[in-house]
Amino acid sequence: MHQEKIQEVIQEVKKVVVGQDRMVNRLLIGLFTNGHILLEGVPGLAKTLTVNTLAKVLHLDFNRIQFTPDLLPADLIGTMIYNQHSGDFEVKKGPIFSNLILADEVNRSPAKVQSALLEAMQEKQVTIGETTFQLDRPFLVLATQNPVDQEGTYPLPEAQVDRFMMKVHIDYPSKADEMEVMRRMANMSFSDEVNAVLSKQDVFDIRSQINAVKIAEPLENYIIELVFATRFPKEYGLHNEAKYIMFGVSPRASINLNLASKAVAFMDGRDYVLPEDIKEIAEDVLNHRIILNYEAEADGINTRDLIKILMEKVPINKSVTI
């Protein structure tokens, strides 16, 4: 039943968004596993449009926050204001009090704003004055950033990037998809209206069903091996690649690989995880957690290149010593 509703959600989004099936899939995985998503791609690839459209298809509160260099933490979480009639200070809640948050160009705001967002992402709460407020559930941050025009930006610190379940790289559409985009958006009578499909209760029910998806011990071992290969690459025959890796991935990588692979299996109509589920999601879960050195940058090596090699070198049946 819920798999059918998920397909309905995807079809509704496709009424507006063309050729970004992978992005929609990853956003839904984040929603269903309580994981925040960072979208990275050049301008104009429908990142904001996709999140906006997805929010409309869900019976969830939604707010879009445009991150700018002059944004203040109070603009995000809210502040205390003085009520002249009562003579008391009252809390004015900010846009963070919503189920879905689109943090647009998240790397354009300074450290204090990023810190306020970090507390909300990690603790699901915000502090205004001396009072701490719990955020409504579900709470999901879908952040965007573009890899060009980095002048005047504030790169996200590793601790905050690690809080994102996945970092999804968005590529240019195919010729056929771009033709369809052009025809739709050049038609001034085109409607972006969609029907709401999923409710909050549906989201919680889907989370319970994903939690029940089985993952066999050999596949759990495989996840651990992938994670440890980023930390001790020479032990896995990655001698050439080892010189590029400054730090391997954190334990959040193994947790999120497990969760995301279960979601992939569930959305494919299965109650058990296959090796292909882990491989499908590995790049998005690992790519922002591997810290490369300057030698990698000089040689034009990125984390996605390393992950592809890692997937080829690390066998599924390798035993794990725990």
Side-chain angles (χ1 to χ4, degrees):
M1 175 185 170
H2 282 106
Q3 274 94 348
E4 292 175 5
K5 281 196 172 185
I6 292 171
Q7 290 306 311
E8 283 184 49
V9 169
I10 294 170
Q11 292 308 313
E12 286 296 318
V13 174
K14 281 185 176 181
K15 289 180 181 179
V16 179
V17 180
V18 178
Q20 293 294 0
D21 296 353
R22 179 169 165 272
M23 183 184 2
V24 173
N25 175 270
R26 300 310 191 252
L27 291 174
L28 288 174
I29 288 174
L31 176 66
F32 298 149
T33 57
N34 203 23
H36 309 292
I37 306 294
L38 179 61
L39 303 174
E40 182 173 276
V42 298
L45 297 185
K47 301 184 295 295
T48 302
L49 177 64
T50 302
V51 176
N52 267 313
T53 306
L54 183 61
K56 291 177 183 177
V57 180
L58 306 170
H59 285 289
L60 298 176
D61 294 329
F62 169 73
N63 272 321
R64 175 182 178 273
I65 306 168
Q66 180 65 52
F67 280 62
T68 56
D70 60 348
L71 197 71
L72 298 173
D75 298 325
L76 182 71
I77 65 173
T79 187
M80 304 289 289
I81 61 171
Y82 182 71
N83 188 322
Q84 291 183 331
H85 296 290
S86 65
D88 296 323
F89 282 93
E90 298 176 352
V91 172
K92 185 180 187 302
K93 293 182 178 180
I96 199 75
F97 287 88
S98 195
N99 298 120
L100 283 182
I101 298 296
L102 171 56
D104 226 347
E105 295 191 285
V106 69
N107 57 332
R108 293 207 175 274
S109 284
K112 282 188 176 181
V113 178
Q114 294 177 1
S115 177
L117 181 65
L118 178 63
E119 181 189 5
M121 288 170 58
Q122 184 64 23
E123 309 297 336
K124 305 293 192 299
Q125 65 182 31
V126 297
T127 302
I128 304 173
E130 297 180 354
T131 309
T132 298
F133 298 89
Q134 297 298 317
L135 295 170
D136 193 19
R137 303 295 200 277
F139 175 75
L140 189 67
V141 173
L142 308 173
T144 72
Q145 63 179 18
N146 72 66
V148 296
D149 187 24
Q150 293 300 306
E151 193 172 338
T153 62
Y154 304 81
L156 297 176
E158 282 76 10
Q160 184 161 344
V161 172
D162 194 38
R163 257 76 174 185
F164 287 98
M165 180 184 201
M166 290 183 280
K167 180 181 179 182
V168 184
H169 292 274
I170 313 301
D171 295 322
Y172 285 111
S174 65
K175 287 182 180 179
D177 287 336
E178 184 132 0
M179 178 68 79
E180 179 61 25
V181 170
M182 181 180 68
R183 286 172 174 168
R184 282 191 190 185
M185 296 307 170
N187 179 2
M188 288 187 285
S189 62
F190 172 73
S191 172
D192 62 355
E193 292 301 314
V194 291
N195 299 314
V197 177
L198 285 184
S199 66
K200 281 186 185 181
Q201 190 56 50
D202 288 326
V203 172
F204 294 136
D205 290 344
I206 289 170
R207 286 183 179 180
S208 297
Q209 292 175 32
I210 288 174
N211 200 41
V213 171
K214 295 181 285 292
I215 179 167
E217 188 174 346
L219 294 183
E220 290 180 323
N221 291 343
Y222 179 51
I223 288 173
I224 299 300
E225 290 297 337
L226 288 175
V227 166
F228 270 69
T230 69
R231 300 172 188 169
F232 311 103
K234 289 182 180 178
E235 295 181 13
Y236 294 81
L238 300 166
H239 299 283
N240 188 51
E241 291 74 22
K243 65 182 180 182
Y244 297 126
I245 300 175
M246 187 183 301
F247 296 108
V249 301
S250 73
R252 286 195 183 94
S254 51
I255 295 168
N256 288 320
L257 271 174
N258 186 304
L259 276 170
S261 61
K262 287 181 179 180
V264 171
F266 176 81
M267 291 170 69
D268 202 33
R270 287 177 279 109
D271 64 351
Y272 56 90
V273 174
L274 295 174
E276 289 73 22
D277 299 328
I278 299 171
K279 291 179 178 179
E280 179 184 332
I281 211 74
E283 179 187 306
D284 297 321
V285 173
L286 300 177
N287 74 79
H288 56 303
R289 293 186 164 93
I290 299 175
I291 309 301
L292 302 182
N293 54 28
Y294 289 110
E295 193 172 350
E297 186 176 350
D299 290 351
I301 301 296
N302 60 45
T303 54
R304 287 183 286 176
D305 298 328
L306 289 175
I307 291 167
K308 286 176 185 174
I309 297 170
L310 181 132
M311 302 298 287
E312 294 169 0
K313 291 282 185 77
V314 178
I316 292 178
N317 58 354
K318 191 175 188 295
S319 60
V320 179
T321 303
I322 300 179

